[in-house]
């Protein structure tokens, strides 16, 4: 754990990089002005890759979002679970077995055909989703979440849609990353534990390995989201309906995606709005990856994409798809906004705690809690 | 920065290089998979498929290149037999219409209503590209059995008190009318494709409850 740094101490990192990253145990001593020679460029890169966990709060948001999307889905489908993935499914265990024999997809559900085993896996999946959202023993819970989610989906791949695909991929990627360092029960427990002393080298090496795996995992998540939008956008560019600006009209009149026909009709009734939204969607999806070079533009487009997914959730009747997409998009949320949210939440919590204790001193503890939360969690 | 011993540095550098290389290869494979077929992806088709399938599938051509412009429907009817071996052909039942009715006004439609039949039809059509309805590969048979079992689950074993012995499907396709402000003219009448009668046996009901 890095000690408190006096303001103005020579810190080679850009001011906002520290906010993006969690400094692991391997970065014990930072160069001081009167210390040894300043680190070379390679040493700084080495440090950035092996000692800092990048996008650590974004990882927490992705975790919470994906867990809520899949957990909400499992709850919603609870009455239909046996028809979708279980013993009553038209996609019988025998049919599934024949397909899986070809694809070699992973599922624990083919280990046994009994109802009991299916119910166990489904409810373990539900439990894993709740615990993952809360961040309880996050790494182990994440593995259970991935195994159960992938098992259920692969038992019947023919009932899934884009949302299931996103959850499937993110569940696997989340296993690799430190998504429980913030906004989790794990983080709360770590804060309450006495600070850890200096760590020995074997432990430090393991920490560095875990940090590297985390950083690679976050890169995979980020690139995956870019690939989703690029694919969706660039193939649309080639479509005549997207070119003539009427594309939006058609999904709004597909019976399977119009829970509210009057609303869909209203949205598609205006020429200008239809063309604007059709062109806007393509520009957004194609352009987003390129705006990553510009923080402000990226944030503006990110907000637009999330808004569009909220609209899709309602208008096309795809709430779980949209939630999963928003959760995946969250990997690009600005750290400043997450820190602001974190302080607001912490202040709100502290105020409520203080109010319950009948104490009037709400402001000071709130501020303290806020700054305390920004300390990296250990473990 | 921490000062590492040589063995520790070796472990970190080797695994770091492996991780970076593996991540690069994985992401490169995903990119080549979603990109249009090109010289490289054709050359390494087998390797790319090994990375992407079955767990890292990428289906992101969302409403692309063009959104679906027809409402596709599945209807089914059955023949039943009574005690005197007299066969009755029953009326068509709109299976898709049942799905749509369940979706209307529902803020969170079930995959059972929104995806099961819709994707089963899609699976059937991709595995039966020929007009005569001949299945392609082993998946063609899977698609037929799946579609039949979806319908049988809804009909049950008996209709009007008589045992179901045969089932027939017809697929409807109705073009969506272009926007009111578009000069295009489109025939929106439903076009039907009828499949032959399929025999129904007790085994087809296994597990359907």
């Amino acid at each position: 754990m890095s000690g408190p740094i006096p303001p103005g101490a020579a810190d080679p990192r850009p001011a906002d990089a520290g906010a993006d990253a969690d400094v692991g145990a391997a970065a014990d001593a930072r160069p001081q002005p009167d210390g040894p020679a300043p680190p070379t460029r390679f040493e700084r890169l080495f440090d950035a890759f092996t000692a800092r966990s990048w996008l650590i709060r974004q990882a927490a948001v992705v975790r919470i979002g994906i867990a809520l999307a899949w957990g909400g889905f499992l709850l919603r489908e609870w009455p239909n679970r046996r028809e979708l993935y279980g013993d009553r499914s038209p996609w019988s265990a025998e049919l599934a077995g024949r397909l899986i024999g070809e694809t070699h997809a992973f599922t624990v559900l083919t280990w046994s055909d009994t109802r009991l085993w299916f119910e166990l896996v489904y409810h373990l999946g539900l439990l894993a989703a709740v615990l993952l959202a809360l961040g309880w023993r996050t790494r182990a819970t994440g593995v259970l979440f991935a195994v159960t989610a992938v098992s259920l989906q692969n038992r019947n791949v023919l009932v899934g849609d884009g949302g299931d695909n996103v959850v499937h991929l993110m569940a696997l990627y989340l296993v690799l990353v430190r998504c429980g360092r913030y906004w989790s029960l794990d983080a709360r427990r770590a804060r309450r534990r006495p600070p850890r002393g200096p760590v020995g080298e074997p432990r430090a090496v393991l920490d560095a390995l875990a940090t590297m795996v985390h950083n690679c995992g976050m890169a995979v998540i980020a690139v995956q989201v870019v690939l989703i939008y690029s694919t969706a956008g660039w193939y649309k560019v080639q479509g005549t309906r997207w070119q003539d600006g009427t594309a939006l009209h058609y999904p709004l009149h597909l019976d399977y995606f119009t829970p509210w026909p009057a609303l869909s009709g209203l949205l598609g009734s205006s020429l200008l709005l239809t063309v604007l939204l059709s062109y806007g969607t393509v520009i957004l999806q194609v352009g987003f990856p390129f705006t990553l070079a510009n923080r402000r533009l990226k944030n503006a487009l990110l907000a637009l994409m999330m808004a569009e997914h909220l609209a899709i959730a309602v208008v096309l009747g795809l709430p779980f798809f949209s939630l999963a997409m928003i959760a995946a998009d969250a990997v690009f949320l600005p750290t400043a906004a997450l820190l602001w949210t974190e302080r607001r939440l912490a202040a709100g919590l502290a105020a409520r705690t203080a109010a319950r204790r009948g104490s009037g001193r709400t402001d000071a503890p709130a501020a303290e809690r806020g700054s305390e939360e920004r300390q990296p969690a250990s473990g | 920065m921490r000062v590492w011993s040589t063995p520790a540095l070796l472990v970190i550098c080797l695994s770091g290089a492996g991780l970076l290389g593996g991540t690069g290869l994985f992401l490169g494979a995903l990119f080549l998979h979603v990109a249009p077929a090109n010289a490289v992806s054709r050359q390494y088709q087998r390797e790319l498929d090994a990375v992407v399938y079955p767990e890292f599938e990428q289906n992101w051509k969302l409403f692309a290149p063009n959104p679906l412009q027809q409402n596709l429907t599945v209807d089914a009817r059955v023949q039943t037999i009574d005690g005197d071996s007299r066969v009755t052909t029953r009326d068509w039942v709109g299976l898709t219409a049942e799905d749509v009715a369940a979706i209307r006004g529902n803020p969170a439609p079930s995959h059972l209503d929104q995806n099961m039949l819709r994707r089963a039809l899609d699976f059937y059509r991709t595995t039966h590209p020929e007009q005569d309805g001949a299945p392609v590969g082993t998946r063609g048979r899977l698609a037929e059995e799946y579609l039949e079992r979806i319908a049988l689950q809804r009909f049950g074993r008996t209709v009007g008190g008589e045992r179901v012995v045969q089932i027939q499907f017809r697929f409807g396709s109705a073009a969506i009318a272009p926007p009111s402000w578009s000069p295009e003219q489109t025939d929106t009448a439903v076009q039907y494709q009828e499949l032959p009668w399929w025999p129904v046996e007790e085994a087809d009901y296994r597990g359907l409850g």
Side-chain angles (χ1 to χ4, degrees):
Chain A
M1 206 72 0
S2 49
I5 303 158
D11 188 346
R13 293 161 202 174
D16 63 338
D20 269 64
D22 186 24
V23 181
D28 271 346
R30 298 197 198 185
Q32 298 296 313
D34 52 348
T40 62
R41 171 184 277 267
F42 174 78
E43 280 170 338
R44 282 208 301 272
L45 282 174
F46 182 85
D47 182 55
F49 182 48
T50 62
R52 269 192 261 164
S53 303
W54 291 88
L55 300 174
I56 191 100
R57 284 179 180 79
Q58 285 83 349
V61 183
V62 174
R63 177 199 89 227
I64 294 169
I66 292 293
L68 287 180
W70 182 246
F73 171 77
L74 291 181
L75 264 187
R76 193 265 168 265
E77 301 292 7
W78 192 84
N80 305 325
R81 64 194 186 286
R82 294 171 69 189
E83 282 81 5
L84 286 172
Y85 307 110
D87 54 334
R88 281 190 191 157
S89 176
W91 189 246
S92 64
E94 190 253 334
L95 291 177
R98 272 154 68 191
L99 185 66
I100 290 167
E102 270 183 43
T103 64
H104 307 290
F106 172 83
T107 175
V108 300
L109 284 170
T110 46
W111 295 357
S112 159
D113 278 356
T114 59
R115 163 128 189 248
L116 181 72
W117 176 237
F118 164 71
E119 297 284 11
L120 191 70
V121 173
Y122 193 94
H123 290 93
L124 266 180
L126 199 50
L127 180 71
V130 172
L131 294 180
L132 189 65
L134 293 173
W136 184 80
R137 307 277 168 192
T138 312
R139 191 74 76 160
T141 306
V143 172
L144 185 67
F145 181 82
V147 167
T148 48
V150 166
S151 289
L152 286 166
Q153 291 188 7
N154 285 344
R155 167 65 179 77
N156 188 356
V157 286
L158 289 163
V159 289
D161 55 31
D164 298 87
N165 201 343
V166 172
V167 168
H168 189 115
L169 295 169
M170 292 299 155
L172 294 172
Y173 301 153
L174 281 173
V175 170
L176 303 175
V177 302
R178 289 172 158 152
C179 54
R181 283 291 181 91
Y182 287 91
W183 302 4
S184 64
L185 295 178
D186 285 354
R188 194 178 66 162
R189 192 174 51 241
R191 274 198 306 274
R192 288 175 178 176
R193 227 175 14 218
R196 204 168 57 182
V199 285
E201 190 164 62
R203 174 68 201 243
V205 168
L206 289 178
D207 257 355
L209 291 183
T211 304
M212 290 191 289
V213 171
H214 165 90
N215 288 331
C216 288
M218 291 314 290
V220 168
I221 290 177
V223 174
Q224 177 69 68
V225 175
V226 165
L227 285 180
I228 291 175
Y229 285 111
S230 298
T231 310
W234 284 103
Y235 283 98
K236 282 189 181 79
V237 169
Q238 307 165 30
T240 51
R241 288 303 181 196
W242 293 98
Q243 290 169 5
D244 72 18
T246 60
L248 183 76
H249 168 80
Y250 294 95
L252 291 177
H253 291 84
L254 283 175
D255 287 336
Y256 271 110
F257 300 99
T258 45
W260 320 103
L263 179 67
S264 300
L266 193 69
L267 201 61
S269 62
S270 151
L271 181 154
L272 270 179
L273 193 64
T274 303
V275 176
L276 194 75
L277 287 177
S278 298
Y279 267 55
T281 299
V282 178
I283 293 170
L284 203 60
Q285 295 185 336
V286 170
F288 178 72
F290 300 100
T291 66
L292 291 176
N294 182 304
R295 203 168 267 255
R296 275 194 189 174
L297 207 53
K298 179 264 289 177
N299 291 339
L301 258 62
L302 188 64
L304 279 175
M305 290 200 312
M306 289 186 166
E308 181 163 19
H309 280 303
L310 281 180
I312 286 173
V314 177
V315 177
L316 299 185
L318 294 167
F320 299 110
F321 162 78
S322 298
L323 182 52
M325 283 306 301
I326 291 173
D329 290 345
V331 71
F332 292 115
L333 281 174
T335 300
L338 296 178
L339 282 170
W340 179 84
T341 312
E342 187 175 286
R343 280 195 297 272
R344 290 293 296 263
L345 285 177
L349 270 177
R352 204 179 317 156
T353 314
R356 207 180 298 153
R357 285 180 190 152
S359 151
R361 294 165 42 246
T362 56
D363 284 350
E368 268 170 38
R369 181 74 58 86
S371 61
E372 180 190 292
E373 296 242 303
R374 262 174 290 144
Q375 295 294 327
S378 62
Chain B
M1 266 169 257
R2 191 183 179 104
V3 179
W4 298 99
S5 69
T6 309
L9 207 55
L10 204 65
V11 169
I12 291 173
C13 286
L14 282 179
S15 22
L19 279 168
L20 283 177
T23 305
L25 282 175
F26 176 73
L27 293 176
L30 290 194
F31 171 79
L32 284 170
H33 176 77
V34 298
N38 57 62
V40 180
S41 60
R42 273 192 286 268
Q43 181 76 33
Y44 296 100
Q45 188 69 54
R46 190 186 292 266
E47 289 83 354
L48 292 181
D49 284 352
V51 172
V52 173
Y53 297 112
E55 306 300 350
F56 297 98
E57 268 193 65
Q58 314 274 324
N59 304 307
W60 310 122
K61 294 182 189 174
L62 309 165
F63 298 120
N66 275 316
L68 184 62
Q69 292 157 60
Q70 298 96 31
N71 273 308
L72 304 176
T73 52
V74 180
D75 300 338
R77 63 177 176 179
V78 293
Q79 281 181 339
T80 56
I81 194 164
D82 68 6
D84 304 327
S85 301
R86 208 173 30 229
V87 172
T88 313
T89 304
R90 305 280 170 173
D91 288 337
W92 288 106
V93 173
L95 302 182
T96 301
E98 293 174 358
D99 287 348
V100 173
I103 291 167
R104 286 277 190 270
N106 192 334
S110 168
H111 275 20
L112 212 53
D113 302 317
Q114 203 169 31
N115 291 350
M116 185 177 266
L117 182 62
R118 182 176 65 84
R119 291 209 50 206
L121 171 64
D122 190 53
F123 186 40
Y124 182 91
R125 288 162 78 103
T126 53
T127 53
H128 296 73
E130 306 293 333
Q131 270 303 309
D132 59 8
V136 171
T138 51
R139 292 187 189 190
R141 281 295 304 149
L142 295 180
E144 290 168 13
E145 285 181 47
Y146 187 37
L147 192 63
E148 182 176 354
R149 281 169 56 81
I150 290 174
L152 289 181
Q153 186 160 51
R154 301 202 194 178
F155 279 105
R157 282 180 171 75
T158 59
V159 173
E162 296 176 10
R163 190 166 62 85
V164 174
V165 286
Q166 291 208 96
I167 187 164
Q168 187 184 29
F169 289 92
R170 69 173 181 191
F171 302 147
S173 169
I176 293 171
S180 54
W181 33 266
S182 161
E184 275 178 60
Q185 297 292 319
T186 305
D187 179 12
T188 58
V190 187
Q191 311 281 324
Y192 285 109
Q193 176 199 349
E194 242 175 62
L195 267 47
W197 285 96
W198 292 346
V200 173
E201 281 154 39
E202 179 52 33
D204 297 325
Y205 285 97
R206 194 178 300 138
L208 290 179

